[in-house]
Amino acid sequence: MVAEEQKNVYRVQGFTCASCAQKFENNLKSLQGVQDAKVNFGASKVTVLGTASQAELEKAGAFENLKLAPENEEIPEEPQVPFYKKHLNVILSFLFLLAGWVSFFQLGEENLGTIALFASSIIIGGYRLFFTGLRNLARLDFDMKTLMTIAIIGAAIIGEWGEGATVVILFAISEALESYSMDKARASIRSLMNVSPKTATLLVEGKEKQVSVKEIEIGDIMLVKPGQKIAMDGSIMKGTAAISEAAITGESIPVTKSLNDPVFAGTFNEDGLLEVRVTKRVEDTTIAKIIHLVEEAQAERAPSQAFVDKFAKYYTPMILVVAALVAIIPPLLFSLSWETWIYQGLAVLVVGCPCALVISTPISIVTAIGNAARNGVLIKGGVYLEEVGNIKAIAFDKTGTLTVGSPEVTDVHSFEMAEDKLVAITAVLESGSTHPLAVAIIKTAEEREIDLAQFNLESFESVTGKGLKGMIDGNVYQVGSPQWFSTENHPHIEHHSSMIEQLQMQGKTVVVAGNEERIFGLIGIRDQVRHSSKKVVKELKELGLNEIVMLTGDNEKTANAIGKEIGLNHVKANLLPQDKLQFIKDIRQKQRNVAMVGDGINDAPALAASSVGIAMGGAGTDTALETADIALMADDLQKLPFTIKLSRKALTIIKQNISFSLGLKILALLLVIPGWLTLWIAIFADMGATLLVTLNSLRLLKIKDENEN
């Protein structure tokens, strides 16, 4: 096994194309002292297992002048270089090309001055291309740069200097487009990385001290002034403020935070003076985890990308064979012109360059995942991005997902004692429980200003799945579900059955208070439905998802009432966690692709069994980030339709890109049959495909959450 200290992760500067990233990975694997290497092109990172030094690793990327920096170190921003300086060789090459064509039309193609101008254009604009291509050719490593090098040199040999020079310029433009598109796709991750401040103000012995976030320890006290970003995850010790959490959740409306409320690095303090106790180190903050997970997601190959990678492996050698056959067979078998058919063969090499095909999928995946992250949706891989677009059914947990997750007492019906005493007796018995229903009852007692300390709880017993029993001030009381009283054949429970049923039909959970002989009262509790649930279900139906199910452990009448209010097709009640798991398995057998939406903790088995597990409330919830395939960071279902639309659009664009890049090349190659394929057509077919694939993929950046204000 490889020791943990032998695993090093570096950020990479200088990547220009996906094939270059693959070449860098292969070069690293061939180094002495490197056991394995994995390049993440989308995130510009590389993971190396072994003992090779950073300098040795950079030598493996010398072909593209790659620079490495350890992952946990800040990479200094590259100085802003004016466009004309950055691409000076391309500009000079283009000027020589123009001069060459002017000379061509005035003096002819045989003129030495014309040839010299075209040759200068080829050398100035293509020397990097030739250096890599010839070295690859010597190694029998046939990538797109090898194909282009052979084609351009071949064009010069047969006297097509002008077309060869034009190919160089257009290929340089094509590479610039690919580099630009990947930079745009990575921009969302860079913006996340720049969200958190690099320094913070600590309170040390009552004095303010400015320190680097790397020096901050758990337990330190930060001072956050109005208009400042919060530098670390923590808990408020003093103060109240409206906090904009858009960087984490994508939610633009500020959230009011006060004593003991959690706050996250990268969020913005709108108006209050806060003292915050730090709860996580800088590498463990929520924003750091999101960045890490998004970067890892970009490295995951989606099914369509895996297909392209496998196809490209055989595609390039196939193009070489086809080009050789085109150049050789017509002259040998049919005594046709060698010059004409060598030219056709060279054109096949150019049109066969897999630039557009290679970037067709990764650029779409990276762009979509980055866009989702900016909108508060964490998608943990290309496979899940594709999967959520293919779902045919979706199952929701009820509590905390379709409902708010904090039940409230809505009804108090007292029969043989005062309402306040009924609430008090119930609250005293529930005081040792953290169950949401117990919390709701205790909260009601507090709101009514009932002093629970005046009641003496002498004994207590919890009856699993039924309720509580105890002695208060010498009297025995029991509090629990109507079913418990019914199964014990309580003499008076039937007298109140119509009221119990009426409350349940309203979507309320009923708690009965009494003893063995009498019923003292009923308390109706309801978990409020999220204001967005009904709208989200409607939008999902409009997206064609007709199999929408709610899974809950609540009673059937309450579940049906909530399901009807929201507009659900099916409701499954009285379910234990294992029942939810089995239900998901049954749906998968019928509908194969099913998503499960839950809180990431209680629903972990069902989330794991579904095609795509979607967790609510990723912000600050480590379990949600770890267990789910997709996390809705804002704890709001309104991001779900946006995620499905984004996924479907990404799937459509990926299919369009693959079909278009292959179709255009096949169409161009068919021009070989009548001998019509020229280097002009070839390069415009290749560059046109790359340009259209790039622009098509960048459309994913424009997809917005329609629910955003």
Side-chain angles (χ1 to χ4, degrees):
M1 289 186 64
V2 179
E4 185 63 31
E5 58 266 26
Q6 290 179 301
K7 176 181 176 181
N8 295 297
V9 182
Y10 300 92
R11 297 196 178 275
V12 186
Q13 276 188 332
F15 277 145
T16 58
C17 63
S19 62
C20 303
Q22 185 61 53
K23 183 182 296 297
F24 179 48
E25 183 176 298
N26 294 337
N27 289 351
L28 289 174
K29 289 178 179 177
S30 65
L31 286 178
Q32 188 174 359
V34 174
Q35 282 122 325
D36 194 17
K38 184 178 180 182
V39 171
N40 181 341
F41 177 55
S44 288
K45 289 169 67 175
V46 60
T47 303
V48 180
L49 296 180
T51 56
S53 68
Q54 183 176 324
E56 290 173 311
L57 300 178
E58 286 186 343
K59 282 183 183 178
F63 68 94
E64 207 175 20
N65 197 30
L66 300 179
K67 299 297 178 186
L68 274 60
E71 181 186 30
N72 56 0
E73 288 185 13
E74 288 181 41
I75 300 177
E77 288 190 18
E78 293 184 27
Q80 293 295 321
V81 181
F83 179 85
Y84 73 91
K85 285 187 178 179
K86 190 173 183 180
H87 301 285
L88 185 59
N89 65 315
V90 178
I91 293 170
L92 288 173
S93 177
F94 182 69
L95 292 175
F96 274 105
L97 176 66
L98 286 179
W101 281 112
V102 170
S103 178
F104 173 86
F105 289 115
Q106 288 185 350
L107 304 174
E109 61 181 333
E110 303 293 333
N111 182 271
L112 287 177
T114 302
I115 293 172
L117 288 170
F118 283 139
S120 299
S121 176
I122 289 171
I123 293 167
I124 293 170
Y127 70 92
R128 290 177 186 166
L129 168 66
F130 301 144
F131 179 77
T132 305
L134 291 171
R135 189 169 59 181
N136 291 348
L137 190 59
R139 296 176 179 174
L140 298 179
D141 182 5
F142 299 106
D143 68 357
M144 64 184 75
K145 290 188 177 179
T146 314
L147 299 185
M148 294 300 291
T149 300
I150 295 171
I152 294 163
I153 292 173
I157 289 171
I158 63 173
E160 298 292 343
W161 291 96
E163 292 189 27
T166 306
V167 166
V168 168
I169 287 294
L170 293 178
F171 183 73
I173 293 171
S174 177
E175 280 207 314
L177 281 172
E178 186 178 344
S179 176
Y180 167 79
S181 63
M182 288 308 299
D183 283 343
K184 287 285 286 183
R186 293 185 187 116
S188 55
I189 303 305
R190 283 203 300 271
S191 65
L192 280 177
M193 295 174 70
N194 294 328
V195 156
S196 299
K198 301 296 184 284
T199 60
T201 304
L202 293 189
L203 284 178
V204 182
E205 297 179 355
K207 295 182 179 179
E208 297 181 18
K209 182 181 179 183
Q210 200 79 6
V211 299
S212 167
V213 290
K214 293 180 181 178
E215 300 174 26
I216 297 176
E217 300 289 340
I218 293 173
D220 286 347
I221 307 299
M222 288 190 306
L223 183 68
V224 186
K225 298 176 182 178
Q228 288 185 339
K229 283 186 178 180
I230 298 170
M232 304 284 284
D233 282 14
S235 177
I236 294 177
M237 295 193 61
K238 185 178 179 182
T240 301
I243 307 292
S244 172
E245 297 185 331
I248 303 289
T249 66
E251 177 57 59
S252 57
I253 300 173
V255 180
T256 301
K257 301 263 186 169
S258 56
L259 186 64
N260 296 326
D261 284 339
V263 292
F264 308 112
T267 57
F268 185 75
N269 178 8
E270 299 267 359
D271 56 10
L273 182 65
L274 300 176
E275 290 183 16
V276 177
R277 181 183 295 278
V278 176
T279 55
K280 292 180 182 178
R281 292 180 60 83
V282 64
E283 62 269 21
D284 298 323
T285 61
T286 301
I287 191 73
K289 286 184 178 179
I290 292 170
I291 292 166
H292 177 73
L293 288 170
V294 172
E295 288 181 334
E296 292 303 307
Q298 291 180 337
E300 292 292 326
R301 281 176 167 79
S304 55
Q305 188 172 346
F307 159 75
V308 169
D309 291 345
K310 191 173 181 180
F311 182 81
K313 183 179 177 182
Y314 301 102
Y315 174 83
T316 304
M318 181 182 72
I319 287 293
L320 275 168
V321 171
V322 171
L325 293 175
V326 167
I328 294 169
I329 288 178
L332 282 180
L333 298 185
F334 305 104
S335 300
L336 297 175
S337 166
W338 279 97
E339 184 176 337
T340 300
W341 286 97
I342 287 175
Y343 177 87
Q344 291 281 299
L346 295 174
V348 168
L349 286 182
V350 175
V351 81
C353 276
C355 310
L357 182 65
V358 168
I359 68 167
S360 61
T361 304
I363 188 175
S364 302
I365 297 289
V366 170
T367 303
I369 288 176
N371 186 13
R374 283 208 329 268
N375 282 279
V377 179
L378 181 62
I379 302 175
K380 292 170 68 175
V383 62
Y384 307 119
L385 175 70
E386 290 197 12
E387 198 72 52
V388 77
N390 288 321
I391 59 172
K392 300 292 187 290
I394 187 164
F396 289 94
D397 172 47
K398 178 178 78 75
T399 306
T401 303
L402 291 170
T403 61
V404 176
S406 52
E408 297 177 357
V409 172
T410 55
D411 300 82
V412 178
H413 297 283
S414 179
F415 306 132
E416 296 193 24
M417 61 172 64
E419 276 191 12
D420 280 3
K421 186 174 181 182
L422 173 66
V423 172
I425 294 297
T426 311
V428 168
L429 285 176
E430 297 278 15
S431 59
S433 173
T434 57
H435 190 280
L437 297 181
V439 173
I441 292 169
I442 294 167
K443 182 182 177 183
T444 300
E446 291 173 354
E447 289 172 351
R448 291 183 176 224
E449 297 182 350
I450 299 171
D451 182 13
L452 299 182
Q454 65 181 303
F455 297 91
N456 182 28
L457 180 63
E458 297 165 12
S459 65
F460 176 80
E461 178 189 355
S462 176
V463 183
T464 305
K466 295 179 179 178
L468 306 167
K469 185 180 287 188
M471 182 177 286
I472 300 174
D473 296 330
N475 297 310
V476 176
Y477 298 96
Q478 67 184 76
V479 172
S481 66
Q483 288 84 354
W484 183 23
F485 286 80
S486 296
T487 53
E488 290 192 345
N489 297 316
H490 194 284
H492 299 293
I493 191 67
E494 288 300 321
H495 298 165
H496 305 289
S497 59
S498 60
M499 183 176 286
I500 291 171
E501 186 173 347
Q502 185 180 358
L503 290 170
Q504 289 178 339
M505 293 293 285
Q506 294 169 4
K508 297 169 184 175
T509 300
V510 179
V511 174
V512 181
N515 59 23
E516 292 182 357
E517 290 119 19
R518 291 180 292 173
I519 300 292
F520 297 126
L522 307 175
I523 296 178
I525 303 174
R526 173 161 170 149
D527 187 0
Q528 300 301 316
V529 173
R530 288 183 187 272
H531 71 279
S532 59
S533 294
K534 186 174 182 179
K535 180 183 177 185
V536 167
V537 169
K538 181 184 176 184
E539 288 181 10
L540 291 175
K541 287 181 178 179
E542 289 171 355
L543 288 171
L545 288 166
N546 296 315
E547 185 70 17
I548 304 175
V549 189
M550 181 175 78
L551 309 179
T552 178
D554 212 335
N555 71 79
E556 194 167 343
K557 289 176 182 175
T558 300
N560 283 333
I562 290 177
K564 185 178 179 181
E565 180 180 340
I566 294 171
L568 292 172
N569 306 75
H570 306 287
V571 172
K572 299 292 179 182
N574 299 310
L575 299 181
L576 297 171
Q578 57 266 35
D579 300 325
K580 292 183 181 181
L581 172 61
Q582 188 57 50
F583 185 81
I584 292 293
K585 287 181 177 178
D586 292 343
I587 290 188
R588 286 203 72 174
Q589 288 178 351
K590 300 174 190 173
Q591 299 260 15
R592 204 177 80 78
N593 296 74
V594 57
M596 172 70 193
V597 186
D599 61 11
I601 302 172
N602 300 330
D603 303 301
L607 286 169
S610 62
S611 308
V612 184
I614 302 172
M616 294 287 291
T621 311
D622 290 344
T623 309
L625 290 177
E626 289 164 9
T627 60
D629 305 318
I630 296 174
L632 307 180
M633 305 301 291
D635 194 24
D636 190 348
L637 284 174
Q638 291 188 87
K639 299 293 181 184
L640 188 54
F642 160 75
T643 306
I644 294 173
K645 288 175 189 173
L646 179 66
S647 170
R648 289 183 178 177
K649 191 67 176 177
L651 282 171
T652 301
I653 284 177
I654 287 168
K655 289 172 184 174
Q656 288 173 350
N657 286 349
I658 293 173
S659 302
F660 184 79
S661 56
L662 284 177
L664 197 60
K665 291 183 185 301
I666 291 169
L667 187 63
L669 288 172
L670 289 176
L671 296 177
V672 170
I673 297 171
W676 294 346
L677 184 61
T678 66
L679 281 175
W680 290 100
I681 294 173
I683 191 61
F684 278 114
D686 179 59
M687 193 188 78
T690 303
L691 175 61
L692 287 171
V693 162
T694 298
L695 296 177
N696 198 30
S697 298
L698 291 178
R699 285 166 56 211
L700 288 166
L701 287 173
K702 294 185 176 180
I703 297 176
K704 304 295 181 186
D705 181 3
E706 293 174 2
N707 293 305
E708 284 290 318
N709 294 328

